[in-house]
Amino acid sequence: MPIVKHIVMWNILGDTAEEKARNTQRLKEAFEGMRGRIPGMLALEIGVDISRVDYACDVVLYSEFETTQALADYATHPEHLRVREQLEGLRIARHQVDYLPL
């Protein structure tokens, strides 16, 4: 069975460049802290935008899961719920794609 890809992109709250950078770092560290703690998660990568184009998102999460069920279980896993709660209010826009490679 093909690996399930899960990609999420956010825009981050921040009135100044410094505040946005601090919030981005908090998000990055929180998600990176989930590595090795989620059954069925094969890969997790956080990237911060360097393009600075006006239509770009600030941060992207790229992750891979063994199965669609592993991805579904991730959504309700206590570690994921803890991170979501910890970061509540930092993310002001969210886009997501889940897919199986063709």
Side-chain angles (χ1 to χ4, degrees):
M1 173 148 224
I3 293 171
V4 180
K5 314 283 182 153
H6 173 68
I7 299 172
V8 184
M9 295 180 291
W10 299 279
N11 286 328
I12 305 299
L13 181 68
D15 292 330
T16 65
E18 293 78 20
E19 183 181 11
K20 187 176 266 200
R22 278 193 309 273
N23 288 341
T24 297
Q25 189 61 33
R26 282 182 55 201
L27 183 139
K28 185 177 184 314
E29 290 173 2
F31 275 97
E32 286 175 342
M34 289 192 306
R35 280 197 185 108
R37 297 175 181 230
I38 308 293
M41 179 185 276
L42 302 173
L44 180 143
E45 180 177 301
I46 296 284
V48 177
D49 178 62
I50 59 171
S51 73
R52 304 291 186 239
V53 296
D54 61 351
Y55 53 84
C57 292
D58 298 317
V59 180
V60 63
L61 164 71
Y62 171 84
S63 53
E64 297 178 351
F65 292 85
E66 291 176 343
T67 63
T68 54
Q69 186 59 54
L71 175 57
D73 293 345
Y74 162 71
T76 58
H77 190 280
E79 282 295 311
H80 182 235
L81 296 177
R82 180 188 58 76
V83 166
R84 284 182 60 190
E85 182 178 317
Q86 177 184 352
L87 300 173
E88 187 67 36
L90 291 185
R91 299 160 294 176
I92 56 176
R94 182 181 187 278
H95 306 278
Q96 177 177 326
V97 175
D98 298 324
Y99 68 96
L100 293 165
L102 298 177

XYZ file of all heavy atoms in Angstrom:
822
model
N 0.849 -1.187 0.000
C 0.000 0.000 0.000
C 0.894 1.251 0.000
O 1.875 1.308 0.725
C -0.887 -0.021 1.238
C -1.693 1.232 1.462
S -3.238 0.840 2.260
C -4.319 1.826 1.310
N 0.526 2.262 -0.800
C 1.337 3.488 -0.855
C 1.295 4.269 0.450
O 0.336 4.201 1.207
C 0.696 4.301 -1.980
C -0.397 3.492 -2.546
C -0.589 2.283 -1.704
N 2.345 5.008 0.681
C 2.449 5.877 1.849
C 1.505 7.066 1.677
O 1.399 7.633 0.592
C 3.901 6.343 2.024
C 4.786 5.143 2.381
C 4.016 7.439 3.062
C 6.262 5.456 2.360
N 0.822 7.453 2.753
C -0.088 8.598 2.739
C 0.709 9.858 3.065
O 1.433 9.900 4.063
C -1.220 8.413 3.769
C -2.155 9.607 3.738
C -1.976 7.121 3.517
N 0.571 10.858 2.229
C 1.247 12.148 2.431
C 0.245 13.121 3.052
O -0.906 13.192 2.626
C 1.735 12.727 1.103
C 2.439 11.748 0.195
C 3.833 11.466 0.625
C 4.486 10.518 -0.382
N 5.889 10.642 -0.455
N 0.701 13.865 4.044
C -0.138 14.839 4.763
C 0.628 16.161 4.783
O 1.719 16.236 5.340
C -0.383 14.329 6.184
C -1.085 15.277 7.095
N -2.395 15.653 6.928
C -0.658 15.909 8.219
C -2.748 16.480 7.911
N -1.705 16.649 8.702
N 0.066 17.169 4.115
C 0.719 18.474 4.025
C -0.232 19.535 4.565
O -1.399 19.592 4.172
C 1.107 18.796 2.573
C 2.083 17.735 2.057
C 1.705 20.197 2.474
C 2.378 17.834 0.587
N 0.267 20.344 5.492
C -0.513 21.430 6.072
C 0.325 22.699 5.991
O 1.527 22.672 6.273
C -0.895 21.145 7.544
C -1.780 22.246 8.090
C -1.572 19.792 7.680
N -0.318 23.794 5.590
C 0.371 25.083 5.512
C -0.411 26.098 6.337
O -1.637 26.085 6.338
C 0.464 25.553 4.062
C 1.321 24.633 3.217
S 1.457 25.166 1.496
C -0.190 24.890 0.908
N 0.342 26.971 7.031
C -0.272 27.974 7.887
C 0.301 29.353 7.614
O 1.458 29.484 7.234
C -0.001 27.695 9.363
C -0.504 26.416 9.897
C -1.780 26.135 10.296
C 0.250 25.233 10.145
N -1.853 24.851 10.771
C -0.610 24.274 10.684
C 1.593 24.893 9.955
C -0.190 23.007 11.043
C 2.009 23.632 10.303
C 1.115 22.706 10.848
N -0.494 30.338 7.928
C -0.008 31.697 8.147
C -0.022 31.894 9.654
O -0.921 31.409 10.349
C -0.866 32.730 7.434
C -0.609 32.716 5.941
O 0.494 32.440 5.494
N -1.637 32.995 5.173
N 0.974 32.592 10.150
C 1.217 32.710 11.587
C 0.914 34.124 12.068
O 1.248 35.103 11.402
C 2.685 32.344 11.909
C 3.025 30.947 11.375
C 2.981 32.440 13.397
C 2.206 29.829 11.951
N 0.342 34.208 13.254
C 0.018 35.474 13.899
C 1.297 36.220 14.269
O 2.264 35.612 14.721
C -0.804 35.212 15.162
C -1.258 36.407 15.973
C -2.299 37.209 15.185
C -1.852 35.950 17.288
N 1.270 37.529 14.091
C 2.390 38.358 14.509
C 2.258 39.763 13.959
O 2.174 39.943 12.744
N 2.198 40.760 14.847
C 2.098 42.155 14.419
C 3.434 42.707 13.946
O 3.491 43.677 13.204
C 1.547 43.029 15.552
C 0.098 42.707 15.865
O -0.638 42.288 14.937
O -0.302 42.859 17.028
N 4.518 42.106 14.407
C 5.855 42.521 13.986
C 6.587 41.298 13.438
O 6.193 40.148 13.702
C 6.667 43.088 15.168
O 6.887 42.023 16.116
C 5.948 44.251 15.844
N 7.658 41.539 12.722
C 8.463 40.435 12.192
C 9.014 39.579 13.325
O 9.070 38.353 13.221
C 9.593 40.984 11.327
N 9.394 40.220 14.430
C 9.952 39.489 15.572
C 8.895 38.597 16.222
O 9.178 37.453 16.584
C 10.528 40.462 16.614
C 11.737 41.234 16.146
C 11.393 42.420 15.228
O 10.226 42.891 15.232
O 12.285 42.863 14.497
N 7.681 39.122 16.394
C 6.604 38.331 16.997
C 6.249 37.145 16.105
O 6.074 36.025 16.584
C 5.372 39.202 17.238
C 4.254 38.461 17.935
C 3.017 39.311 18.161
O 2.924 40.425 17.597
O 2.136 38.853 18.892
N 6.166 37.380 14.804
C 5.869 36.292 13.871
C 6.979 35.249 13.906
O 6.712 34.048 13.898
C 5.686 36.843 12.461
C 5.217 35.788 11.479
C 4.940 36.367 10.115
C 3.478 36.703 10.044
N 2.982 36.831 8.676
N 8.238 35.681 13.986
C 9.367 34.748 14.046
C 9.316 33.909 15.325
O 9.562 32.698 15.286
C 10.681 35.509 13.951
N 8.995 34.535 16.459
C 8.874 33.789 17.727
C 7.751 32.762 17.638
O 7.912 31.613 18.064
C 8.616 34.742 18.892
C 9.847 35.396 19.453
C 9.582 36.085 20.791
N 8.439 36.994 20.769
C 8.479 38.271 20.408
N 9.626 38.813 20.034
N 7.402 39.025 20.446
N 6.602 33.164 17.111
C 5.468 32.250 17.003
C 5.765 31.116 16.028
O 5.378 29.965 16.270
C 4.213 33.016 16.581
C 3.684 33.889 17.687
O 4.006 33.701 18.866
N 2.881 34.877 17.343
N 6.458 31.431 14.950
C 6.853 30.402 13.985
C 7.784 29.393 14.647
O 7.634 28.183 14.468
C 7.529 31.051 12.761
O 6.572 31.898 12.111
C 8.054 30.019 11.795
N 8.732 29.858 15.427
C 9.655 28.957 16.122
C 8.911 28.080 17.129
O 9.209 26.890 17.249
C 10.765 29.758 16.814
C 11.874 28.911 17.373
C 12.607 28.108 16.313
O 12.756 28.527 15.174
N 13.068 26.931 16.693
N 7.955 28.640 17.841
C 7.144 27.847 18.776
C 6.422 26.725 18.047
O 6.399 25.577 18.508
C 6.118 28.726 19.490
C 6.683 29.542 20.617
C 5.623 30.350 21.331
N 4.525 29.529 21.821
C 3.309 29.987 22.113
N 3.025 31.273 21.966
N 2.368 29.197 22.557
N 5.812 27.053 16.911
C 5.096 26.042 16.131
C 6.058 24.962 15.648
O 5.789 23.771 15.791
C 4.394 26.706 14.938
C 3.556 25.764 14.092
C 2.265 26.433 13.685
C 4.320 25.312 12.874
N 7.184 25.376 15.114
C 8.188 24.440 14.599
C 8.648 23.476 15.689
O 8.655 22.259 15.501
C 9.367 25.226 14.035
C 10.444 24.406 13.366
C 11.516 25.332 12.799
C 12.603 24.647 12.033
N 13.195 23.480 12.581
N 9.001 24.007 16.844
C 9.476 23.157 17.941
C 8.390 22.223 18.453
O 8.658 21.062 18.775
C 10.007 24.030 19.067
C 11.310 24.723 18.716
C 11.758 25.732 19.761
O 11.088 25.889 20.809
O 12.795 26.399 19.522
N 7.161 22.710 18.522
C 6.060 21.878 19.017
C 5.824 20.680 18.105
O 5.704 19.538 18.574
C 4.789 22.718 19.156
N 5.759 20.908 16.803
C 5.530 19.795 15.885
C 6.733 18.863 15.817
O 6.560 17.640 15.766
C 5.133 20.305 14.493
C 3.658 20.565 14.387
C 3.166 21.844 14.560
C 2.767 19.542 14.133
C 1.802 22.098 14.484
C 1.404 19.778 14.060
C 0.922 21.058 14.229
N 7.933 19.406 15.837
C 9.122 18.546 15.808
C 9.181 17.653 17.044
O 9.721 16.550 16.999
C 10.388 19.380 15.676
C 10.561 19.940 14.281
C 11.751 20.869 14.136
O 12.272 21.369 15.154
O 12.150 21.106 12.984
N 8.606 18.097 18.150
C 8.566 17.304 19.374
C 7.707 16.061 19.272
O 7.758 15.192 20.141
N 6.905 15.946 18.224
C 6.063 14.762 18.037
C 6.807 13.618 17.361
O 6.316 12.490 17.362
C 4.822 15.109 17.198
C 3.821 15.963 17.917
S 2.234 16.064 17.060
C 2.708 16.618 15.441
N 7.983 13.897 16.798
C 8.734 12.839 16.105
C 8.938 11.636 17.017
O 9.340 11.773 18.159
C 10.091 13.350 15.656
C 10.047 14.143 14.402
C 11.444 14.263 13.795
N 11.378 15.133 12.649
C 11.865 16.366 12.611
N 12.486 16.869 13.656
N 11.755 17.087 11.519
N 8.638 10.459 16.465
C 8.838 9.220 17.207
C 7.762 8.931 18.233
O 7.848 7.936 18.945
N 6.747 9.764 18.337
C 5.704 9.583 19.353
C 4.349 9.190 18.763
O 3.422 8.923 19.511
C 5.533 10.866 20.157
C 6.770 11.247 20.925
C 6.587 12.578 21.600
N 7.789 12.924 22.313
C 7.811 13.311 23.571
N 6.702 13.420 24.263
N 8.951 13.609 24.146
N 4.236 9.197 17.437
C 2.957 8.927 16.785
C 3.071 7.609 16.022
O 3.824 7.512 15.042
C 2.580 10.063 15.803
C 2.649 11.433 16.466
C 1.226 9.792 15.170
C 1.626 11.690 17.536
N 2.331 6.577 16.432
C 2.380 5.301 15.707
C 1.951 5.490 14.250
O 0.982 6.190 13.958
C 1.362 4.427 16.454
C 1.259 5.039 17.813
C 1.459 6.518 17.607
N 2.708 4.884 13.355
C 2.367 4.948 11.934
C 2.885 6.174 11.216
O 2.783 6.261 9.992
N 3.450 7.157 11.949
C 4.044 8.334 11.305
C 5.466 7.963 10.898
O 6.296 7.634 11.730
C 4.062 9.535 12.235
C 4.690 10.777 11.595
S 4.848 12.177 12.739
C 3.215 12.892 12.626
N 5.737 8.049 9.606
C 7.036 7.659 9.080
C 7.999 8.828 8.936
O 9.209 8.642 8.985
C 6.848 6.990 7.716
C 5.943 5.766 7.705
C 5.707 5.295 6.275
C 6.526 4.663 8.566
N 7.460 10.016 8.702
C 8.309 11.195 8.493
C 7.553 12.433 8.929
O 6.328 12.487 8.846
C 8.694 11.315 7.025
N 8.311 13.431 9.404
C 7.740 14.721 9.771
C 8.800 15.779 9.501
O 9.946 15.632 9.915
C 7.350 14.742 11.248
C 6.735 16.048 11.735
C 5.634 15.765 12.739
C 7.765 16.971 12.332
N 8.392 16.785 8.754
C 9.301 17.874 8.421
C 8.540 19.189 8.504
O 7.399 19.278 8.068
C 9.823 17.663 7.001
C 10.779 18.705 6.512
C 11.289 18.377 5.120
O 11.894 17.295 4.944
O 11.048 19.185 4.218
N 9.167 20.197 9.103
C 8.590 21.540 9.178
C 9.485 22.465 8.372
O 10.703 22.466 8.555
C 8.519 22.049 10.637
C 7.585 21.193 11.471
C 8.105 23.508 10.676
C 6.131 21.443 11.236
N 8.873 23.243 7.495
C 9.624 24.206 6.708
C 9.069 25.604 6.902
O 7.860 25.786 7.048
N 9.952 26.581 6.917
C 9.576 27.985 7.070
C 9.843 28.676 5.735
O 10.924 28.528 5.156
C 10.381 28.646 8.209
C 10.049 30.120 8.319
C 10.107 27.925 9.529
N 8.854 29.425 5.244
C 8.947 30.078 3.950
C 10.129 31.036 3.876
O 10.371 31.809 4.812
C 7.657 30.847 3.663
C 7.720 31.578 2.344
O 7.861 30.912 1.305
O 7.650 32.824 2.352
N 10.854 30.978 2.773
C 11.945 31.914 2.540
C 11.665 32.821 1.342
O 12.417 33.733 1.071
C 13.296 31.188 2.332
C 13.226 30.245 1.139
C 13.712 30.466 3.610
C 14.557 29.654 0.724
N 10.552 32.581 0.638
C 10.266 33.352 -0.571
C 9.788 34.771 -0.265
O 10.059 35.692 -1.016
C 9.204 32.652 -1.422
O 7.915 32.760 -0.825
N 9.037 34.904 0.805
C 8.462 36.188 1.230
C 7.511 36.796 0.188
O 7.249 37.984 0.228
C 9.548 37.206 1.583
C 10.519 36.751 2.634
C 9.854 36.649 3.988
N 10.855 36.335 4.996
C 10.784 35.259 5.754
N 9.788 34.436 5.649
N 11.713 35.036 6.649
N 7.000 35.994 -0.751
C 6.001 36.513 -1.676
C 4.684 36.673 -0.927
O 4.420 35.952 0.038
C 5.830 35.619 -2.924
C 7.109 35.583 -3.743
C 5.390 34.220 -2.559
N 3.865 37.613 -1.347
C 2.676 37.963 -0.575
C 1.636 36.847 -0.511
O 0.806 36.832 0.383
C 2.049 39.260 -1.093
C 1.595 39.172 -2.530
O 1.899 38.175 -3.221
O 0.926 40.129 -2.973
N 1.664 35.890 -1.412
C 0.670 34.816 -1.413
C 1.181 33.523 -0.764
O 0.478 32.540 -0.700
C 0.183 34.529 -2.837
C 1.291 34.254 -3.820
C 1.837 32.979 -3.946
C 1.796 35.272 -4.612
C 2.861 32.734 -4.838
C 2.818 35.031 -5.513
C 3.348 33.756 -5.625
O 4.361 33.516 -6.504
N 2.398 33.527 -0.265
C 2.967 32.331 0.366
C 2.454 32.156 1.779
O 2.155 33.120 2.475
C 4.494 32.428 0.386
N 2.377 30.909 2.201
C 2.130 30.612 3.607
C 3.452 30.727 4.358
O 4.528 30.661 3.770
C 1.559 29.207 3.757
S -0.104 29.032 3.088
N 3.362 30.892 5.676
C 4.561 31.078 6.498
C 5.280 29.772 6.819
O 6.508 29.732 6.881
C 4.203 31.771 7.814
C 3.628 33.157 7.604
O 4.159 33.909 6.756
O 2.635 33.485 8.280
N 4.498 28.717 7.063
C 5.064 27.449 7.540
C 4.351 26.294 6.841
O 3.154 26.368 6.574
C 4.880 27.298 9.066
C 5.469 25.991 9.566
C 5.487 28.461 9.814
N 5.100 25.233 6.569
C 4.517 24.013 6.007
C 4.933 22.818 6.865
O 6.062 22.753 7.358
C 4.935 23.796 4.531
C 6.430 23.613 4.394
C 4.181 22.629 3.916
N 3.978 21.924 7.065
C 4.231 20.631 7.709
C 4.096 19.570 6.630
O 3.073 19.510 5.945
C 3.204 20.359 8.812
C 3.097 18.911 9.303
C 4.321 18.530 10.114
C 1.833 18.703 10.108
N 5.125 18.766 6.457
C 5.077 17.632 5.543
C 5.255 16.392 6.395
O 6.218 16.288 7.159
C 6.202 17.712 4.502
C 6.316 16.463 3.678
C 5.512 16.283 2.564
C 7.197 15.450 4.031
C 5.601 15.114 1.809
C 7.285 14.287 3.290
C 6.484 14.127 2.186
O 6.556 12.974 1.449
N 4.319 15.451 6.274
C 4.455 14.208 7.026
C 3.971 13.040 6.181
O 3.220 13.213 5.219
C 3.705 14.279 8.358
O 2.363 14.670 8.164
N 4.445 11.859 6.529
C 4.082 10.629 5.837
C 3.579 9.624 6.863
O 4.125 9.529 7.969
C 5.289 10.040 5.109
C 5.829 10.923 4.018
C 7.056 10.337 3.344
O 7.610 9.322 3.832
O 7.469 10.902 2.317
N 2.549 8.868 6.456
C 1.937 7.862 7.320
C 1.863 6.528 6.598
O 1.700 6.482 5.374
C 0.544 8.315 7.748
C 0.581 9.496 8.677
C 0.648 10.782 8.170
C 0.589 9.318 10.049
C 0.718 11.880 9.016
C 0.668 10.407 10.902
C 0.722 11.691 10.382
N 1.955 5.452 7.380
C 1.918 4.102 6.819
C 0.617 3.817 6.092
O 0.611 3.140 5.069
C 2.100 3.061 7.926
C 3.472 3.046 8.526
C 3.596 2.066 9.686
O 2.556 1.624 10.235
O 4.735 1.757 10.056
N -0.499 4.291 6.649
C -1.834 3.995 6.112
C -2.758 5.180 6.329
O -2.455 6.077 7.127
C -2.462 2.781 6.830
O -2.637 3.121 8.219
C -1.599 1.523 6.717
N -3.909 5.146 5.662
C -4.916 6.180 5.907
C -5.435 6.082 7.339
O -5.764 7.104 7.938
C -6.085 6.084 4.904
O -6.617 4.759 4.931
C -5.639 6.435 3.500
N -5.482 4.882 7.899
C -5.913 4.734 9.291
C -4.900 5.365 10.245
O -5.282 5.993 11.236
C -6.128 3.262 9.650
C -6.713 3.068 11.046
C -8.054 3.750 11.222
O -8.975 3.524 10.439
N -8.190 4.603 12.237
N -3.615 5.222 9.965
C -2.592 5.851 10.810
C -2.749 7.370 10.785
O -2.614 8.028 11.826
C -1.199 5.443 10.340
N -3.069 7.937 9.621
C -3.314 9.382 9.533
C -4.558 9.760 10.330
O -4.549 10.744 11.069
C -3.459 9.815 8.074
C -3.833 11.272 7.836
C -2.835 12.231 8.479
C -3.974 11.538 6.339
N -5.612 8.968 10.220
C -6.831 9.239 10.986
C -6.564 9.156 12.485
O -7.059 9.983 13.262
C -7.937 8.260 10.579
N -5.768 8.193 12.902
C -5.444 8.042 14.320
C -4.596 9.216 14.818
O -4.737 9.651 15.968
C -4.705 6.727 14.571
C -5.580 5.501 14.336
O -6.823 5.649 14.266
O -5.015 4.401 14.202
N -3.739 9.737 13.974
C -2.922 10.909 14.314
C -3.795 12.099 14.688
O -3.485 12.839 15.621
C -2.027 11.235 13.119
C -1.442 12.623 13.097
C -0.441 12.992 13.987
C -1.869 13.558 12.153
C 0.118 14.265 13.943
C -1.314 14.827 12.110
C -0.330 15.176 13.004
O 0.212 16.429 12.964
N -4.900 12.270 13.978
C -5.778 13.420 14.220
C -6.286 13.468 15.650
O -6.516 14.555 16.194
C -6.944 13.408 13.239
N -6.430 12.317 16.279
C -6.962 12.278 17.646
C -5.930 11.794 18.670
O -6.271 11.566 19.830
C -8.207 11.361 17.714
O -7.853 10.047 17.276
C -9.328 11.917 16.841
N -4.687 11.642 18.243
C -3.641 11.190 19.159
C -3.383 12.269 20.220
O -3.343 13.464 19.909
C -2.352 10.904 18.380
C -1.319 10.212 19.190
N -0.502 10.884 20.076
C -0.979 8.907 19.272
C 0.310 10.018 20.662
N 0.044 8.814 20.191
N -3.202 11.881 21.489
C -2.990 12.860 22.561
C -1.832 13.829 22.310
O -1.924 15.015 22.660
C -2.719 11.991 23.796
C -3.372 10.691 23.497
C -3.289 10.508 22.010
N -0.734 13.374 21.712
C 0.397 14.272 21.423
C -0.005 15.345 20.411
O 0.348 16.507 20.551
C 1.595 13.486 20.891
C 2.370 12.764 21.944
C 3.046 13.714 22.929
O 3.715 14.673 22.508
O 2.909 13.478 24.135
N -0.742 14.941 19.381
C -1.198 15.899 18.373
C -2.193 16.879 18.988
O -2.110 18.093 18.749
C -1.825 15.153 17.190
C -2.284 16.059 16.100
N -3.562 16.045 15.625
C -1.633 17.015 15.391
C -3.688 16.947 14.668
N -2.530 17.553 14.507
N -3.110 16.383 19.787
C -4.093 17.262 20.438
C -3.408 18.239 21.390
O -3.800 19.412 21.476
C -5.143 16.429 21.174
C -6.017 15.547 20.278
C -6.954 14.711 21.135
C -6.778 16.360 19.251
N -2.363 17.784 22.078
C -1.608 18.662 22.979
C -0.948 19.793 22.197
O -1.011 20.962 22.588
C -0.553 17.850 23.738
C 0.297 18.677 24.706
C 1.451 17.871 25.281
N 2.345 17.331 24.277
C 3.260 18.040 23.612
N 3.404 19.333 23.845
N 4.036 17.461 22.717
N -0.345 19.464 21.069
C 0.320 20.476 20.241
C -0.709 21.454 19.693
O -0.500 22.670 19.714
C 1.139 19.811 19.109
C 1.549 20.820 18.049
C 2.354 19.115 19.697
N -1.827 20.951 19.217
C -2.874 21.840 18.697
C -3.343 22.819 19.764
O -3.497 24.009 19.504
C -4.054 21.024 18.181
C -3.768 20.370 16.844
C -4.945 19.615 16.320
N -6.077 20.516 16.144
C -7.300 20.127 15.871
N -7.578 18.846 15.733
N -8.274 20.988 15.725
N -3.541 22.317 20.983
C -3.988 23.185 22.073
C -2.905 24.197 22.441
O -3.192 25.380 22.649
C -4.338 22.331 23.298
C -4.861 23.146 24.457
C -5.254 22.258 25.630
O -5.882 21.212 25.403
O -4.923 22.634 26.773
N -1.684 23.747 22.495
C -0.545 24.612 22.847
C -0.404 25.765 21.849
O 0.001 26.861 22.221
C 0.718 23.757 22.868
C 1.996 24.487 23.129
C 3.204 23.552 23.039
O 3.085 22.339 22.933
N 4.377 24.129 23.057
N -0.740 25.535 20.595
C -0.545 26.526 19.541
C -1.825 27.259 19.155
O -1.817 28.043 18.209
C 0.059 25.847 18.309
C 1.409 25.179 18.549
C 1.840 24.397 17.333
C 2.460 26.201 18.957
N -2.889 27.020 19.884
C -4.170 27.669 19.592
C -3.991 29.179 19.502
O -3.383 29.803 20.368
C -5.195 27.330 20.683
C -6.577 27.816 20.386
C -7.209 27.106 19.204
O -6.960 25.896 19.042
O -7.951 27.761 18.460
N -4.485 29.766 18.416
C -4.420 31.201 18.235
C -3.186 31.697 17.501
O -3.158 32.842 17.062
N -2.150 30.857 17.339
C -0.949 31.282 16.613
C -1.125 31.169 15.102
O -0.480 31.874 14.346
C 0.268 30.442 17.006
C 0.829 30.614 18.400
C 2.100 29.793 18.548
C 1.096 32.059 18.713
N -1.996 30.261 14.693
C -2.191 30.019 13.267
C -3.442 30.762 12.819
O -4.524 30.526 13.325
C -2.321 28.522 13.014
C -1.045 27.793 13.455
C -1.232 26.345 13.683
N -2.122 26.138 14.835
C -2.533 24.975 15.242
N -2.172 23.894 14.624
N -3.329 24.858 16.280
N -3.286 31.662 11.851
C -4.412 32.497 11.443
C -5.039 32.052 10.124
O -6.116 32.510 9.775
C -4.012 33.988 11.377
C -2.825 34.194 10.441
C -3.697 34.513 12.773
C -2.431 35.647 10.253
N -4.383 31.178 9.391
C -4.945 30.574 8.185
C -4.334 29.188 8.053
O -3.187 28.965 8.440
C -4.640 31.413 6.953
N -5.126 28.252 7.502
C -4.675 26.858 7.414
C -5.151 26.257 6.101
O -6.298 26.439 5.713
C -5.262 26.072 8.580
C -4.842 24.636 8.647
C -5.521 23.962 9.850
N -5.030 22.630 10.074
C -5.445 21.561 9.431
N -6.363 21.676 8.492
N -4.947 20.372 9.696
N -4.254 25.517 5.447
C -4.571 24.793 4.220
C -4.016 23.384 4.367
O -2.937 23.201 4.940
C -3.935 25.471 3.007
C -4.284 26.918 2.904
N -5.454 27.358 2.351
C -3.627 28.018 3.316
C -5.501 28.678 2.405
N -4.395 29.103 3.001
N -4.744 22.396 3.871
C -4.331 21.004 4.052
C -4.590 20.199 2.792
O -5.587 20.404 2.110
C -5.113 20.385 5.207
C -4.822 18.920 5.433
C -5.557 18.357 6.627
O -5.754 19.068 7.623
N -5.974 17.113 6.535
N -3.673 19.253 2.518
C -3.849 18.264 1.464
C -3.364 16.931 2.010
O -2.263 16.840 2.560
C -3.037 18.619 0.192
C -3.152 17.508 -0.840
C -3.489 19.946 -0.379
N -4.191 15.893 1.872
C -3.813 14.519 2.175
C -3.942 13.740 0.870
O -4.964 13.863 0.199
C -4.750 13.904 3.222
C -4.695 14.628 4.545
O -3.603 15.090 4.921
O -5.743 14.731 5.203
N -2.920 12.955 0.523
C -3.013 12.246 -0.747
C -2.185 10.966 -0.751
O -1.272 10.796 0.047
C -2.598 13.150 -1.907
C -1.132 13.520 -1.932
C -0.225 12.811 -2.711
C -0.647 14.586 -1.188
C 1.115 13.158 -2.745
C 0.688 14.942 -1.212
C 1.561 14.219 -1.990
O 2.889 14.568 -2.009
N -2.559 10.100 -1.658
C -1.805 8.905 -1.962
C -1.148 9.117 -3.322
O -1.831 9.526 -4.276
C -2.727 7.678 -2.046
C -3.385 7.259 -0.741
C -4.534 6.301 -1.016
C -2.371 6.626 0.180
N 0.149 8.890 -3.450
C 0.796 9.076 -4.753
C 0.145 8.156 -5.795
O -0.245 7.023 -5.491
C 2.239 8.656 -4.506
C 2.424 8.814 -3.020
C 1.091 8.511 -2.410
N 0.043 8.663 -6.998
C -0.559 7.871 -8.090
C 0.421 6.865 -8.635
O 1.573 6.990 -8.614
C -1.019 8.805 -9.214
C -2.083 9.804 -8.801
C -2.398 10.725 -9.963
C -3.346 9.093 -8.351
